Amino acid sequence: MKTVSTAKSFGGTQGVYTHTSEVCACDMTFAVFVPPQAKNGKVPVLWYLSGLTCTHANVMEKGEYRRMAAELGLIIVCPDTSPRGDDVADEADNWQFGKGAGFYVDATQEPYAKNYRMYSYITKELPALIEKEFPADMSRQGIFGHSMGGHGAMTIALKHPDTFKSCSAFAPIVEPSTAGWSKGAFERYLGADETNWRAYDACALVKDGKSFPEFLIDQGQADSFLDEGLRPWLFEEAVKGTDIKLTLRMQEGYDHSYYFISTFMDDHLRWHAERLG
């Protein structure tokens, strides 16, 4: 692991780091905020997964999480959204696919299978590095994200309920297997057999019996992607009759931007902190 930069913030440290990922077969960048409480021992870890077109930097610079994370004593880990590098397969004129749009899946189709393994990167490789290099209590982990990252957070939580104690999302893509801006990417990453897509679809996972204690979802009612790609009501319908508790808050006047995310960031951090202890 190499340190790109560090800066003191609210008594803690905001750092940016790189390392060579064996899983993604390229160098990866990620950001970590360590709160001041970590000077006295290990603290809980909260993963933030960013959305389409983003890197680690978007939430780090515009998410406004450090003040509350420092108050609550939370490590915040912000990975990149996809593999990077000149040798990584990409489609430069398509913002819904390729670099910046990894969808937190393990691709099985060429030429993407070599690098696009964000699911394994987030669930295996990067956690091992965080545990080794930072004062992280890995027995107390939460996960949240925005848009594509909200989709990633929810699917990862549903498949790893023993690892994560909390999960929330800002404007998540709850059923990417049928959404216009993700269905094409799923086919190219995972193949034409749609049964293979279900492992990365929150609604399908619930219908297939996966569970998680509870979710918090905030969704802006003025979000231009609401009807086309996000459709939180589909997840609301999917959890009916299950043991999954869902708090879905439709926020009047809010869009898909970081103005929306930063407005409700404190609410999400407090919500996670209550469940992480």
Side-chain angles (χ1 to χ4, degrees):
M1 189 181 78
K2 297 179 180 179
T3 301
V4 176
S5 66
T6 59
K8 187 172 182 177
S9 181
F10 295 100
T13 301
Q14 176 65 68
V16 177
Y17 309 91
T18 64
H19 74 117
T20 299
S21 167
E22 294 183 6
V23 167
C24 296
C26 64
D27 289 343
M28 295 291 287
T29 303
F30 61 96
V32 179
F33 176 72
V34 178
Q37 293 88 336
K39 297 174 184 176
N40 300 318
K42 294 183 178 182
V43 295
V45 182
L46 184 55
W47 296 79
Y48 178 90
L49 306 186
S50 290
L52 285 161
T53 76
C54 293
T55 69
H56 67 283
N58 295 75
V59 69
M60 186 179 75
E61 297 170 355
K62 297 182 288 187
E64 301 182 24
Y65 58 79
R66 277 172 289 273
R67 181 187 61 81
M68 185 54 63
E71 179 181 320
L72 297 171
L74 297 172
I75 285 178
I76 310 293
V77 181
C78 308
D80 201 348
T81 54
S82 71
R84 307 280 177 173
D86 294 339
D87 297 331
V88 174
D90 188 27
E91 196 168 281
D93 59 350
N94 184 359
W95 66 275
Q96 297 176 337
F97 185 75
K99 296 178 188 178
F103 281 95
Y104 302 100
V105 304
D106 280 352
T108 59
Q109 305 301 300
E110 298 300 338
Y112 309 105
K114 176 183 177 181
N115 303 109
Y116 286 84
R117 302 184 63 208
M118 290 300 296
Y119 175 80
S120 288
Y121 180 69
I122 298 298
T123 60
K124 297 177 182 178
E125 186 177 35
L126 190 54
L129 184 63
I130 295 299
E131 183 175 25
K132 176 183 176 183
E133 299 288 348
F134 297 91
D137 183 351
M138 304 304 280
S139 69
R140 293 186 290 166
Q141 295 186 73
I143 191 167
F144 67 149
H146 171 231
S147 193
M148 177 186 72
H151 134 74
M154 292 173 68
T155 57
I156 288 171
L158 282 164
K159 290 192 284 186
H160 298 275
D162 294 333
T163 299
F164 298 98
K165 296 183 178 297
S166 58
C167 180
S168 71
F170 302 100
I173 310 171
V174 301
E175 194 175 87
S177 64
T178 63
W181 64 353
S182 51
K183 186 175 182 180
F186 268 37
E187 182 170 359
R188 296 178 69 183
Y189 286 139
L190 303 171
D193 185 353
E194 296 185 18
T195 60
N196 295 326
W197 304 2
R198 299 182 69 84
Y200 303 103
D201 184 304
C203 288
L205 285 168
V206 170
K207 293 172 184 177
D208 290 345
K210 298 294 184 182
S211 188
F212 196 77
E214 57 182 329
F215 293 93
L216 167 65
I217 294 177
D218 272 311
Q219 172 64 63
Q221 289 185 334
D223 192 322
S224 61
F225 301 115
L226 179 57
D227 294 325
E228 173 192 357
L230 307 174
R231 306 170 297 167
W233 50 83
L234 296 179
F235 191 71
E236 188 175 36
E237 184 65 27
V239 301
K240 286 182 179 179
T242 73
D243 294 330
I244 299 171
K245 179 181 178 182
L246 171 64
T247 301
L248 172 60
R249 307 192 305 186
M250 300 298 295
Q251 304 291 0
E252 183 178 357
Y254 285 92
D255 59 15
H256 200 67
S257 71
Y258 272 88
Y259 298 113
F260 158 63
I261 297 168
S262 61
T263 298
F264 300 102
M265 179 63 77
D266 282 3
D267 285 357
H268 283 244
L269 294 180
R270 291 192 189 99
W271 192 84
H272 284 278
E274 288 176 1
R275 287 150 182 80
L276 296 177

